Amino acid sequence: MKATPNTPPLPGTSRFPRGEIDKRLLMYSAAAVTAVVIVVYLLYPEPVTEPVPAPATGPAMPLETVEPAETEAERGDTARDIIDSLSDTDGEVDYAEALARAREFQADDRLADAQLLMFFAARGGHAPAAFELASSYDPNHHSETASLMEEPDPFQAYRWYRAARDAGQAEAEERLSNLKRWAEGAAEGGNDEAERLLLQWEN
């Protein structure tokens, strides 16, 4: 039997069959991909996930809310009934009666009823009612025990002192002067509200 001479492969050809070349390429590619994955995993470890804090189990903090008026006295229901009865008259409204009842309610610590009746009479042009209403707002005369407002309101005091003065209440002029002196002193102390109030006397 004649031996086949061992001749080199022609250019552009391979000594290995095509199927064997494809298998080797696949093996080399798979090995390269595996090596890349291992390197990436080692160089970039998985980030640590921060634990989510557990919900609080203690008592919840109460929300700051304003308690609604529940009783007739807190709502001023009696004063509203009195205002309705005074307004139903065919003649002039008796604002003096409204102020008298307001003082009674104030003495009984029924401040909502007192405030409503006093405001009703003051808005109707009753000078004494406007004067007393202004006093309840006046920082020089404000009283937490005799006023429905926890804090004084100098602008409202100015407004109702002016109304009382224009309606003939002589003492209102002196109260306005005292209120202005308060505003001047408070403005020197850096009170912005007092500074704005002083502009009322410039108009």
Side-chain angles (χ1 to χ4, degrees):
M1 187 176 194
K2 189 181 290 186
T4 304
N6 188 12
T7 58
L10 297 175
T13 63
S14 172
R15 72 175 63 203
F16 302 105
R18 177 177 299 275
E20 186 175 349
I21 294 176
D22 292 343
K23 289 180 181 179
R24 288 188 178 184
L25 288 176
L26 290 175
M27 291 175 59
Y28 293 152
S29 299
V33 171
T34 302
V36 171
V37 170
I38 292 173
V39 170
V40 171
Y41 178 81
L42 293 176
L43 293 180
Y44 300 96
E46 183 180 356
V48 178
T49 304
E50 295 185 1
V52 178
T57 56
M61 294 297 292
L63 296 176
E64 293 185 2
T65 57
V66 177
E67 293 293 334
E70 297 180 354
T71 66
E72 293 183 2
E74 291 175 343
R75 293 192 300 265
D77 290 351
T78 304
R80 298 176 195 277
D81 292 338
I82 294 173
I83 290 172
D84 289 339
S85 64
L86 291 173
S87 302
D88 288 340
T89 58
D90 296 333
E92 295 184 0
V93 178
D94 191 351
Y95 292 116
E97 173 65 18
L99 178 58
R101 298 298 301 273
R103 289 168 176 165
E104 292 176 3
F105 286 128
Q106 194 173 46
D108 292 338
D109 200 29
R110 298 181 58 174
L111 300 181
D113 288 310
Q115 181 79 10
L116 285 172
L117 283 167
M118 200 174 295
F119 178 77
F120 169 72
R123 191 176 58 177
H126 192 257
F131 183 83
E132 293 192 26
L133 183 62
S135 299
S136 69
Y137 289 108
D138 189 345
N140 292 320
H141 298 275
H142 175 265
S143 172
E144 293 183 3
T145 58
S147 175
L148 188 64
M149 288 69 64
E150 294 182 358
E151 299 291 337
D153 188 334
F155 281 94
Q156 290 295 325
Y158 175 85
R159 172 191 175 187
W160 291 110
Y161 279 142
R162 286 279 302 268
R165 182 196 64 185
D166 296 343
Q169 190 79 15
E171 297 91 338
E173 189 65 52
E174 182 180 357
R175 288 290 184 88
L176 282 168
S177 298
N178 293 337
L179 182 62
K180 183 180 181 181
R181 282 193 289 272
W182 170 88
E184 290 171 343
E188 290 179 359
N191 189 319
D192 295 336
E193 185 180 27
E195 289 185 8
R196 292 193 299 270
L197 179 61
L198 286 174
L199 298 176
Q200 302 300 319
W201 278 274
E202 297 179 5
N203 296 332

